[in-house]
Amino acid sequence: MSEDFLIRAATVHDVGLILSLIRELAAYEKLLHEVTATEDDLRHNLFGQQAIAEAVLAYEADQAVGFALFFANFSTFLGKPGLYLEDLYVKSDYRGKGYGKKLLTHVAHLAHSRGCGRLDWSVLDWNAPSIKFYQSLGAKPMSEWTGFRLTGAALQKLSHLSV
């Protein structure tokens, strides 16, 4: 890792860069076809009046090498807030050099300083290098949980059921 390494909070001026990194991540995960986010979406949701997520960027000198995007959640069992790490991405040329660890450490520090009881994230089951990396840091897989998701038409249909 370069001595010119820096992690900084993203600003509204970074939305184009963040979207570019999101697309790189999606391509790596073979999910680029699912990216519908726009710069306006990021501007509104990361930097708008009621921002609901945050991002930090990793730099080597003046080159962006990765990012982490996260948001607040809440644990009813702990009775404390938490952070959910939606995305952690390091460009392929910079992997294995400590940038991912620095990004995750930065988010963990934010969680701890904010009184959070935990930091959660998901990883694709085929992503063995990431799984090994997370386990090396002490993270435990949540194998007893099955993730669920509603999107698109299914979300719309459920939202219109009478309550």
Side-chain angles (χ1 to χ4, degrees), residues 30-116:
K30 300 169 185 64
L31 297 170
L32 187 56
H33 63 281
E34 292 190 17
V35 177
T36 61
T38 66
E39 287 188 20
D40 284 340
D41 292 331
L42 296 178
R43 194 174 292 108
H44 173 76
N45 291 304
L46 297 178
F47 307 105
Q49 289 282 355
Q50 295 180 340
I52 59 171
E54 300 173 62
V56 292
L57 297 164
Y59 279 87
E60 181 178 288
D62 61 350
Q63 172 67 39
V65 300
F67 81 109
L69 194 145
F70 54 95
F71 54 88
N73 61 14
F74 187 80
S75 168
T76 55
F77 286 12
L78 297 177
K80 293 182 178 185
L83 288 182
Y84 186 85
L85 178 64
E86 179 66 21
D87 288 320
L88 175 72
Y89 176 71
V90 175
K91 291 182 172 211
S92 60
D93 291 346
Y94 297 91
R95 291 186 193 136
K97 298 180 180 180
Y99 296 106
K101 184 176 182 180
K102 287 285 192 182
L103 280 164
L104 190 56
T105 299
H106 184 86
V107 176
H109 174 76
L110 290 174
H112 181 74
S113 69
R114 294 175 185 182
C116 294

